[in-house]
mmCIF file of all heavy atoms in Angstrom:
data_model
loop_
_atom_site.group_PDB
_atom_site.id
_atom_site.type_symbol
_atom_site.label_atom_id
_atom_site.label_comp_id
_atom_site.label_asym_id
_atom_site.label_seq_id
_atom_site.Cartn_x
_atom_site.Cartn_y
_atom_site.Cartn_z
ATOM 1 N N PHE A 1 0.819 -1.211 0.000
ATOM 2 C CA PHE A 1 0.000 0.000 0.000
ATOM 3 C C PHE A 1 0.858 1.268 0.000
ATOM 4 O O PHE A 1 0.360 2.363 0.286
ATOM 5 C CB PHE A 1 -0.911 0.013 1.231
ATOM 6 C CG PHE A 1 -0.196 -0.143 2.546
ATOM 7 C CD1 PHE A 1 0.356 0.945 3.209
ATOM 8 C CD2 PHE A 1 -0.055 -1.397 3.126
ATOM 9 C CE1 PHE A 1 1.027 0.803 4.420
ATOM 10 C CE2 PHE A 1 0.608 -1.553 4.360
ATOM 11 C CZ PHE A 1 1.154 -0.443 4.998
ATOM 12 N N ALA A 2 2.137 1.156 -0.330
ATOM 13 C CA ALA A 2 3.091 2.259 -0.180
ATOM 14 C C ALA A 2 2.646 3.542 -0.878
ATOM 15 O O ALA A 2 2.911 4.640 -0.401
ATOM 16 C CB ALA A 2 4.460 1.833 -0.697
ATOM 17 N N LYS A 3 1.973 3.436 -2.015
ATOM 18 C CA LYS A 3 1.589 4.624 -2.778
ATOM 19 C C LYS A 3 0.146 5.045 -2.538
ATOM 20 O O LYS A 3 -0.376 5.917 -3.232
ATOM 21 C CB LYS A 3 1.818 4.370 -4.271
ATOM 22 C CG LYS A 3 3.283 4.148 -4.629
ATOM 23 C CD LYS A 3 3.470 3.952 -6.126
ATOM 24 C CE LYS A 3 4.934 3.763 -6.469
ATOM 25 N NZ LYS A 3 5.145 3.559 -7.939
ATOM 26 N N GLU A 4 -0.483 4.439 -1.544
ATOM 27 C CA GLU A 4 -1.893 4.734 -1.251
ATOM 28 C C GLU A 4 -1.960 5.608 0.000
ATOM 29 O O GLU A 4 -1.752 5.142 1.113
ATOM 30 C CB GLU A 4 -2.663 3.431 -1.060
ATOM 31 C CG GLU A 4 -2.604 2.543 -2.284
ATOM 32 C CD GLU A 4 -2.943 1.085 -1.985
ATOM 33 O OE1 GLU A 4 -3.257 0.764 -0.822
ATOM 34 O OE2 GLU A 4 -2.858 0.263 -2.926
ATOM 35 N N ARG A 5 -2.258 6.885 -0.190
ATOM 36 C CA ARG A 5 -2.126 7.863 0.886
ATOM 37 C C ARG A 5 -2.961 7.505 2.118
ATOM 38 O O ARG A 5 -2.459 7.525 3.249
ATOM 39 C CB ARG A 5 -2.532 9.244 0.364
ATOM 40 C CG ARG A 5 -2.356 10.375 1.367
ATOM 41 C CD ARG A 5 -0.892 10.622 1.702
ATOM 42 N NE ARG A 5 -0.731 11.642 2.728
ATOM 43 C CZ ARG A 5 -0.729 12.944 2.500
ATOM 44 N NH1 ARG A 5 -0.866 13.381 1.243
ATOM 45 N NH2 ARG A 5 -0.570 13.806 3.465
ATOM 46 N N ALA A 6 -4.232 7.202 1.930
ATOM 47 C CA ALA A 6 -5.091 6.915 3.082
ATOM 48 C C ALA A 6 -4.588 5.714 3.870
ATOM 49 O O ALA A 6 -4.584 5.709 5.107
ATOM 50 C CB ALA A 6 -6.530 6.682 2.632
ATOM 51 N N ASN A 7 -4.142 4.687 3.165
ATOM 52 C CA ASN A 7 -3.660 3.486 3.851
ATOM 53 C C ASN A 7 -2.361 3.752 4.608
ATOM 54 O O ASN A 7 -2.173 3.257 5.724
ATOM 55 C CB ASN A 7 -3.469 2.349 2.844
ATOM 56 C CG ASN A 7 -4.792 1.806 2.346
ATOM 57 O OD1 ASN A 7 -5.788 1.844 3.060
ATOM 58 N ND2 ASN A 7 -4.819 1.316 1.119
ATOM 59 N N CYS A 8 -1.462 4.530 4.013
ATOM 60 C CA CYS A 8 -0.229 4.878 4.721
ATOM 61 C C CYS A 8 -0.528 5.688 5.979
ATOM 62 O O CYS A 8 0.068 5.474 7.031
ATOM 63 C CB CYS A 8 0.688 5.681 3.802
ATOM 64 S SG CYS A 8 1.506 4.699 2.524
ATOM 65 N N GLU A 9 -1.479 6.628 5.864
ATOM 66 C CA GLU A 9 -1.789 7.494 7.002
ATOM 67 C C GLU A 9 -2.480 6.743 8.135
ATOM 68 O O GLU A 9 -2.267 7.043 9.312
ATOM 69 C CB GLU A 9 -2.682 8.658 6.539
ATOM 70 C CG GLU A 9 -2.020 9.631 5.583
ATOM 71 C CD GLU A 9 -1.043 10.566 6.277
ATOM 72 O OE1 GLU A 9 -0.970 10.545 7.518
ATOM 73 O OE2 GLU A 9 -0.346 11.316 5.563
ATOM 74 N N MET A 10 -3.324 5.765 7.811
ATOM 75 C CA MET A 10 -4.137 5.093 8.822
ATOM 76 C C MET A 10 -3.558 3.761 9.284
ATOM 77 O O MET A 10 -4.166 3.075 10.108
ATOM 78 C CB MET A 10 -5.554 4.854 8.289
ATOM 79 C CG MET A 10 -6.371 6.114 8.061
ATOM 80 S SD MET A 10 -6.778 7.006 9.585
ATOM 81 C CE MET A 10 -7.783 5.816 10.454
ATOM 82 N N TYR A 11 -2.398 3.392 8.791
ATOM 83 C CA TYR A 11 -1.823 2.103 9.170
ATOM 84 C C TYR A 11 -1.425 2.096 10.635
ATOM 85 O O TYR A 11 -0.685 2.957 11.113
ATOM 86 C CB TYR A 11 -0.605 1.797 8.299
ATOM 87 C CG TYR A 11 0.092 0.502 8.628
ATOM 88 C CD1 TYR A 11 -0.626 -0.687 8.715
ATOM 89 C CD2 TYR A 11 1.458 0.463 8.859
ATOM 90 C CE1 TYR A 11 0.010 -1.884 9.023
ATOM 91 C CE2 TYR A 11 2.102 -0.730 9.146
ATOM 92 C CZ TYR A 11 1.382 -1.899 9.237
ATOM 93 O OH TYR A 11 2.016 -3.076 9.529
ATOM 94 N N MET A 12 -1.912 1.103 11.377
ATOM 95 C CA MET A 12 -1.532 0.894 12.766
ATOM 96 C C MET A 12 -0.815 -0.450 12.859
ATOM 97 O O MET A 12 -1.453 -1.502 12.744
ATOM 98 C CB MET A 12 -2.759 0.898 13.681
ATOM 99 C CG MET A 12 -3.517 2.206 13.705
ATOM 100 S SD MET A 12 -4.939 2.180 14.839
ATOM 101 C CE MET A 12 -4.093 2.277 16.443
ATOM 102 N N PRO A 13 0.501 -0.461 13.039
ATOM 103 C CA PRO A 13 1.214 -1.744 13.163
ATOM 104 C C PRO A 13 0.655 -2.550 14.326
ATOM 105 O O PRO A 13 0.282 -1.999 15.365
ATOM 106 C CB PRO A 13 2.655 -1.308 13.432
ATOM 107 C CG PRO A 13 2.735 0.085 12.897
ATOM 108 C CD PRO A 13 1.397 0.692 13.133
ATOM 109 N N LEU A 14 0.593 -3.856 14.151
ATOM 110 C CA LEU A 14 0.047 -4.711 15.197
ATOM 111 C C LEU A 14 1.069 -5.062 16.275
ATOM 112 O O LEU A 14 0.700 -5.495 17.363
ATOM 113 C CB LEU A 14 -0.514 -5.995 14.581
ATOM 114 C CG LEU A 14 -1.672 -5.818 13.589
ATOM 115 C CD1 LEU A 14 -2.230 -7.172 13.175
ATOM 116 C CD2 LEU A 14 -2.769 -4.924 14.153
ATOM 117 N N SER A 15 2.348 -4.898 15.953
ATOM 118 C CA SER A 15 3.394 -5.147 16.958
ATOM 119 C C SER A 15 4.674 -4.462 16.506
ATOM 120 O O SER A 15 4.812 -4.073 15.337
ATOM 121 C CB SER A 15 3.647 -6.650 17.138
ATOM 122 O OG SER A 15 4.335 -7.173 16.012
ATOM 123 N N MET A 16 5.632 -4.346 17.416
ATOM 124 C CA MET A 16 6.917 -3.739 17.070
ATOM 125 C C MET A 16 7.671 -4.568 16.039
ATOM 126 O O MET A 16 8.553 -4.057 15.357
ATOM 127 C CB MET A 16 7.767 -3.571 18.329
ATOM 128 C CG MET A 16 7.338 -2.432 19.229
ATOM 129 S SD MET A 16 7.679 -0.789 18.536
ATOM 130 C CE MET A 16 9.463 -0.721 18.724
ATOM 131 N N ALA A 17 7.315 -5.839 15.920
ATOM 132 C CA ALA A 17 7.980 -6.688 14.929
ATOM 133 C C ALA A 17 7.741 -6.182 13.513
ATOM 134 O O ALA A 17 8.511 -6.492 12.600
ATOM 135 C CB ALA A 17 7.483 -8.130 15.060
ATOM 136 N N GLU A 18 6.675 -5.409 13.307
ATOM 137 C CA GLU A 18 6.375 -4.870 11.989
ATOM 138 C C GLU A 18 7.165 -3.606 11.686
ATOM 139 O O GLU A 18 7.120 -3.094 10.566
ATOM 140 C CB GLU A 18 4.875 -4.576 11.872
ATOM 141 C CG GLU A 18 4.005 -5.819 11.965
ATOM 142 C CD GLU A 18 2.525 -5.513 11.728
ATOM 143 O OE1 GLU A 18 2.229 -4.511 11.051
ATOM 144 O OE2 GLU A 18 1.691 -6.271 12.227
ATOM 145 N N LEU A 19 7.878 -3.078 12.680
ATOM 146 C CA LEU A 19 8.656 -1.859 12.486
ATOM 147 C C LEU A 19 10.119 -2.209 12.261
ATOM 148 O O LEU A 19 10.736 -2.866 13.085
ATOM 149 C CB LEU A 19 8.532 -0.945 13.705
ATOM 150 C CG LEU A 19 7.128 -0.513 14.105
ATOM 151 C CD1 LEU A 19 7.195 0.452 15.282
ATOM 152 C CD2 LEU A 19 6.399 0.129 12.938
ATOM 153 N N GLN A 20 10.652 -1.742 11.167
ATOM 154 C CA GLN A 20 12.045 -2.003 10.843
ATOM 155 C C GLN A 20 12.738 -0.689 10.518
ATOM 156 O O GLN A 20 12.090 0.319 10.217
ATOM 157 C CB GLN A 20 12.151 -2.963 9.649
ATOM 158 C CG GLN A 20 11.451 -4.290 9.843
ATOM 159 C CD GLN A 20 12.026 -5.112 10.982
ATOM 160 O OE1 GLN A 20 13.231 -5.068 11.246
ATOM 161 N NE2 GLN A 20 11.171 -5.854 11.678
ATOM 162 N N GLY A 21 14.041 -0.692 10.553
ATOM 163 C CA GLY A 21 14.826 0.445 10.108
ATOM 164 C C GLY A 21 14.434 1.754 10.761
ATOM 165 O O GLY A 21 14.370 1.882 11.984
ATOM 166 N N LYS A 22 14.153 2.750 9.912
ATOM 167 C CA LYS A 22 13.875 4.099 10.380
ATOM 168 C C LYS A 22 12.635 4.154 11.267
ATOM 169 O O LYS A 22 12.609 4.884 12.264
ATOM 170 C CB LYS A 22 13.699 5.031 9.183
ATOM 171 C CG LYS A 22 13.569 6.500 9.541
ATOM 172 C CD LYS A 22 13.494 7.363 8.280
ATOM 173 C CE LYS A 22 13.423 8.842 8.637
ATOM 174 N NZ LYS A 22 13.336 9.695 7.418
ATOM 175 N N ALA A 23 11.610 3.379 10.912
ATOM 176 C CA ALA A 23 10.379 3.400 11.709
ATOM 177 C C ALA A 23 10.654 2.949 13.140
ATOM 178 O O ALA A 23 10.163 3.552 14.103
ATOM 179 C CB ALA A 23 9.318 2.506 11.068
ATOM 180 N N ARG A 24 11.420 1.923 13.293
ATOM 181 C CA ARG A 24 11.738 1.409 14.630
ATOM 182 C C ARG A 24 12.612 2.407 15.387
ATOM 183 O O ARG A 24 12.371 2.687 16.572
ATOM 184 C CB ARG A 24 12.452 0.053 14.514
ATOM 185 C CG ARG A 24 12.636 -0.644 15.857
ATOM 186 C CD ARG A 24 13.274 -2.012 15.671
ATOM 187 N NE ARG A 24 13.302 -2.740 16.926
ATOM 188 C CZ ARG A 24 12.314 -3.501 17.380
ATOM 189 N NH1 ARG A 24 11.219 -3.634 16.656
ATOM 190 N NH2 ARG A 24 12.416 -4.120 18.542
ATOM 191 N N ALA A 25 13.615 2.949 14.700
ATOM 192 C CA ALA A 25 14.530 3.890 15.351
ATOM 193 C C ALA A 25 13.798 5.142 15.812
ATOM 194 O O ALA A 25 14.039 5.645 16.918
ATOM 195 C CB ALA A 25 15.654 4.263 14.388
ATOM 196 N N MET A 26 12.888 5.645 14.994
ATOM 197 C CA MET A 26 12.177 6.861 15.356
ATOM 198 C C MET A 26 11.174 6.615 16.473
ATOM 199 O O MET A 26 10.950 7.478 17.326
ATOM 200 C CB MET A 26 11.496 7.458 14.128
ATOM 201 C CG MET A 26 12.483 8.010 13.123
ATOM 202 S SD MET A 26 11.703 8.815 11.722
ATOM 203 C CE MET A 26 10.950 10.220 12.537
ATOM 204 N N THR A 27 10.574 5.430 16.488
ATOM 205 C CA THR A 27 9.647 5.095 17.570
ATOM 206 C C THR A 27 10.376 5.002 18.898
ATOM 207 O O THR A 27 9.961 5.592 19.903
ATOM 208 C CB THR A 27 8.935 3.767 17.265
ATOM 209 O OG1 THR A 27 8.149 3.910 16.081
ATOM 210 C CG2 THR A 27 8.024 3.361 18.407
ATOM 211 N N LEU A 28 11.475 4.278 18.923
ATOM 212 C CA LEU A 28 12.242 4.136 20.162
ATOM 213 C C LEU A 28 12.861 5.469 20.580
ATOM 214 O O LEU A 28 12.939 5.788 21.776
ATOM 215 C CB LEU A 28 13.329 3.077 19.981
ATOM 216 C CG LEU A 28 12.813 1.649 19.721
ATOM 217 C CD1 LEU A 28 13.977 0.694 19.473
ATOM 218 C CD2 LEU A 28 11.962 1.158 20.893
ATOM 219 N N GLY A 29 13.268 6.270 19.597
ATOM 220 C CA GLY A 29 13.816 7.583 19.904
ATOM 221 C C GLY A 29 12.787 8.491 20.539
ATOM 222 O O GLY A 29 13.082 9.219 21.495
ATOM 223 N N ALA A 30 11.558 8.454 20.028
ATOM 224 C CA ALA A 30 10.494 9.294 20.579
ATOM 225 C C ALA A 30 10.209 8.938 22.032
ATOM 226 O O ALA A 30 9.905 9.808 22.853
ATOM 227 C CB ALA A 30 9.234 9.147 19.741
#
């Protein structure tokens, strides 16, 4: 869904296992 704006905006990962790379780093940093 990478190019689908609504899906990107409303995506709620079900666990931290779904977060990799920058997403994981920014979450833990926050």
Side-chain angles (χ1 to χ4, degrees):
F1 55 85
K3 296 182 179 180
E4 301 161 2
R5 184 66 184 277
N7 288 331
C8 286
E9 294 284 353
M10 293 294 297
Y11 178 51
M12 297 182 74
L14 298 186
S15 73
M16 285 289 287
E18 296 185 25
L19 302 183
Q20 303 297 326
K22 187 176 182 181
R24 188 177 187 87
M26 291 184 66
T27 297
L28 296 177

